[in-house]
Amino acid sequence: MKNRFFKRIAILVLSLFAVTALHSQILDGTVQSARFRVSLPATFNFDDGSVNSSPYVSYKQDLLPWMKAAAFAQYNIKQEAFVPQMWVEFSAAKRYYLLSRSIFNTRTGKYSHGLATTIKLPSHLSVDATWDNMFEQAGTRKLDRLQVVGGYINKRFIANAGYSMLYKKGIVANLRIIFCPAYFLQMKYDGGQNSFTLTSYINIQ
């Protein structure tokens, strides 16, 4: 009885995060599935025609059956900034995921924190939500981005679309094409940022 009660509470909390919150990507509340990952993105800004890239290398470690952590070494080329990150994932029943993301920009000296969640629904559907910049070292809430998307999960592709609220409002949409477990390509349109991002992911077990 107690286990059922706590399970219901956990589902309720995660559901609230999904409905009320959240930079949404594909399965945003989960860390990478592979031990190592290399990300090679290119972001095109339609307002000024600029292009930026923030590639990273990351390492994932399984801590507990319901807890994983990943360390990221990322470099923002435009800002010339090294941006280390630590992501910690909590999961339940292989359907509910909550991700805590700690980010530090070594150039500006600022720390920020965000939360993301994924709920996998029946019929290959999912809800992804992200709350970026929920904590900012500067103490302001002007940069908070709350995004919610609904999506479809397939063996060969994952797609979702939704809306970003608060800072830089607009439609967001993502498409991930899975060529094989070791490689996939992801495209993202961000109406709030008025940008398009193309990212190649290389997974190494």
Side-chain angles (χ1 to χ4, degrees), residues 26-27 118-121 123-128 151-159 178:
I26 299 291
L27 303 180
T118 292
I119 299 178
K120 294 182 178 179
L121 304 171
S123 302
H124 304 284
L125 301 177
S126 69
V127 174
D128 292 278
Y152 180 80
I153 303 172
N154 186 282
K155 290 183 179 180
R156 290 298 178 186
F157 73 90
I158 305 174
I178 304 168

Side-chain angles (χ1 to χ4, degrees), residues 10-162:
I11 291 172
L12 176 62
V13 170
L14 292 174
S15 298
L16 287 173
F17 271 117
V19 173
T20 61
L22 290 151
H23 173 75
S24 289
Q25 303 284 339
I26 299 291
L27 303 180
D28 212 17
T30 65
V31 297
Q32 63 202 47
S33 56
R35 183 69 62 192
F36 294 93
R37 172 173 287 178
V38 178
S39 169
L40 303 170
T43 299
F44 306 87
N45 188 294
F46 297 120
D47 289 330
D48 57 15
S50 64
V51 180
N52 189 28
S53 182
S54 298
Y56 71 72
V57 176
S58 58
Y59 171 78
K60 182 205 70 170
Q61 180 64 50
D62 298 337
L63 303 177
L64 294 167
W66 47 271
M67 185 179 181
K68 302 176 183 179
F72 291 73
Q74 185 177 46
Y75 186 77
N76 188 307
I77 294 176
K78 188 174 183 179
Q79 295 181 2
E80 297 182 349
F82 176 56
V83 187
Q85 305 179 31
M86 178 62 70
W87 295 14
V88 181
E89 173 202 298
F90 305 92
S91 62
K94 296 183 179 180
R95 290 183 59 191
Y96 309 97
Y97 301 86
L98 178 65
L99 187 64
S100 172
R101 299 193 293 217
S102 300
I103 304 167
F104 181 72
N105 188 309
T106 58
R107 185 176 181 84
T108 63
K110 292 182 179 180
Y111 168 83
S112 63
H113 189 84
L115 284 179
T117 187
T118 292
I119 299 178
K120 294 182 178 179
L121 304 171
S123 302
H124 304 284
L125 301 177
S126 69
V127 174
D128 292 278
T130 309
W131 184 353
D132 276 334
N133 301 317
M134 66 171 293
F135 171 81
E136 300 168 51
Q137 193 172 11
T140 66
R141 306 304 298 271
K142 294 181 180 179
L143 301 180
D144 281 33
R145 294 200 79 193
L146 299 137
Q147 302 183 28
V148 181
V149 297
Y152 180 80
I153 303 172
N154 186 282
K155 290 183 179 180
R156 290 298 178 186
F157 73 90
I158 305 174
N160 62 26

